[in-house]
């Protein structure tokens, strides 16, 4: 029976087709995360492509949304794959977005729970956890932390993010130089071409936002809207910078 459950699903992504907020499941609309502006009105998000990219300013709720989706997919809100609990929540005082999942409903075709939720800020804990569970195994611990931060990220992506599944990336570019971001784009292309991976990603990198044929969404207090990379604030700011780097920085710090 277990081998039957582990067989690849003969269906192309997106596997998660739609999520929406059920108002009847919201106990207190003034409490986090339901107080976030984009959740104030009837929230709904459809996935019509294998890759969905979300851009937005800090504090708009990108990570909260990804955490809610991750829990829906069966992952821990702190990061990891199904069945992984690399971060101890017992003494945590922060309120995380996984609570959002209790008020979300989802439409899957089909439901899939293999894959990974990658959070840049919990990578160290995840890597240590994987080393511990890998002790005594045939291949040994992966030892991502013996590499530079960016190299560890890339090794992790290469080894963990190419099988069939739903992959949720929260700011994967945080440790990657521009050239390493190009390597990550190549990985995204391989995942895309495999036709068995769904990617949902939040990023501040215009380079990643520009991935061809992905659906790019901007999250703001007004909700989610489809945009081009040229319409994002990230791209506009960087374009102004490249036009006159010294002048841009001088003007910015004098404001």
């Amino acid at each position: 029976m277990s081998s039957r459950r582990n067989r690849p699903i003969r269906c192309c992504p997106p596997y998660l087709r739609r999520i929406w907020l059920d108002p009847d499941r919201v106990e207190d609309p003034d409490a986090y995360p339901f107080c976030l502006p984009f959740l104030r009105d009837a929230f709904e998000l459809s996935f019509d492509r294998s890759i969905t990219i979300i851009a937005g300013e800090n504090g708009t709720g990108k990570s909260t949304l990804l955490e809610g989706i991750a829990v829906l997919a069966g992952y821990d809100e702190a990061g990891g794959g199904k069945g992984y609990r690399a971060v101890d929540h017992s003494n945590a005082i922060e309120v995380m977005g996984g609570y959002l999942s209790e008020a979300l409903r989802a439409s899957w075709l089909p439901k899939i729970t293999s894959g990974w939720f990658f959070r840049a800020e919990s990578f160290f804990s995840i890597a240590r956890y994987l080393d511990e569970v890998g002790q005594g195994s045939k291949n040994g611990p992966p030892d991502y932390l013996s590499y530079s931060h960016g190299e560890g990220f890339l090794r992790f992506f290469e080894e963990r993010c190419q099988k069939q599944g739903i992959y949720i990336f929260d700011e994967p570019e945080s440790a990657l130089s521009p050239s390493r971001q190009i390597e990550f784009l190549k990985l995204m292309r391989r995942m895309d071409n495999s036709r068995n991976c769904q990617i949902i990603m939040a990023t501040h990198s215009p380079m990643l936002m520009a991935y061809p044929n992905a659906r790019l969404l901007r999250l703001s207090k007004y909700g989610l809207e489809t945009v081009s990379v040229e319409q994002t604030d990230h791209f506009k700011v960087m374009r102004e910078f490249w036009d006159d780097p010294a002048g841009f920085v001088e003007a910015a710090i004098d404001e």
Side-chain angles (χ1 to χ4, degrees), residues 153-165:
F153 270 37
L154 281 176
R155 282 197 67 233
F156 174 87
F157 295 143
E158 292 282 355
E159 295 178 10
R160 297 275 169 173
C161 301
Q162 297 197 59
K163 296 181 179 179
Q164 184 179 59

Side-chain angles (χ1 to χ4, degrees), residues 130-187:
L130 292 174
D131 284 344
E132 291 175 5
V133 299
Q135 295 287 348
S137 66
K138 179 180 178 181
N139 296 321
D143 193 21
Y144 299 118
L145 298 179
S146 288
Y147 295 80
S148 74
H149 201 181
E151 289 173 328
F153 270 37
L154 281 176
R155 282 197 67 233
F156 174 87
F157 295 143
E158 292 282 355
E159 295 178 10
R160 297 275 169 173
C161 301
Q162 297 197 59
K163 296 181 179 179
Q164 184 179 59
I166 178 169
Y167 294 88
I168 303 168
F169 296 112
D170 191 2
E171 300 182 11
E173 77 280 3
S174 62
L176 303 180
S177 68
S179 63
R180 297 304 189 187
Q181 290 183 42
I182 293 174
E183 293 303 312
F184 183 74
L185 285 168
K186 292 177 181 178
L187 171 67

Side-chain angles (χ1 to χ4, degrees), residues 246-255:
F248 175 89
V249 171
E250 186 69 32
I253 60 180
D254 283 344
E255 284 185 355

Side-chain angles (χ1 to χ4, degrees), residues 14-21 43-54 65 69 105-107 198-200 215-217 224 226:
Y15 308 113
L16 178 60
R17 296 301 181 94
R18 176 172 165 258
I19 58 172
W20 66 98
L21 187 70
F43 170 76
E44 181 178 342
L45 174 57
S46 296
F47 300 93
D48 59 0
R49 304 183 195 183
S50 59
I51 298 180
T52 302
I53 301 173
I54 302 173
L65 178 57
I69 295 173
R105 292 187 179 273
S107 173
Q198 180 176 3
I199 296 173
I200 303 172
R215 186 184 182 197
L216 177 60
L217 299 169
L224 284 162
T226 301

Side-chain angles (χ1 to χ4, degrees), residues 96-117:
M96 298 181 68
Y99 183 53
L100 174 62
S101 66
E102 298 181 12
L104 287 178
R105 292 187 179 273
S107 173
W108 299 80
L109 191 65
K111 176 68 180 287
I112 189 167
T113 57
S114 57
W116 201 271
F117 176 32

Side-chain angles (χ1 to χ4, degrees), residues 203-235:
T203 181
H204 290 294
S205 167
M207 193 181 296
L208 300 190
M209 293 177 201
Y211 183 87
N213 300 318
R215 186 184 182 197
L216 177 60
L217 299 169
R218 176 169 55 201
L219 179 61
S220 70
K221 63 181 180 180
Y222 303 108
L224 284 162
E225 60 178 332
T226 301
V227 295
S228 67
V229 64
E230 292 86 357
Q231 292 173 310
T232 64
D233 292 336
H234 305 71
F235 179 86

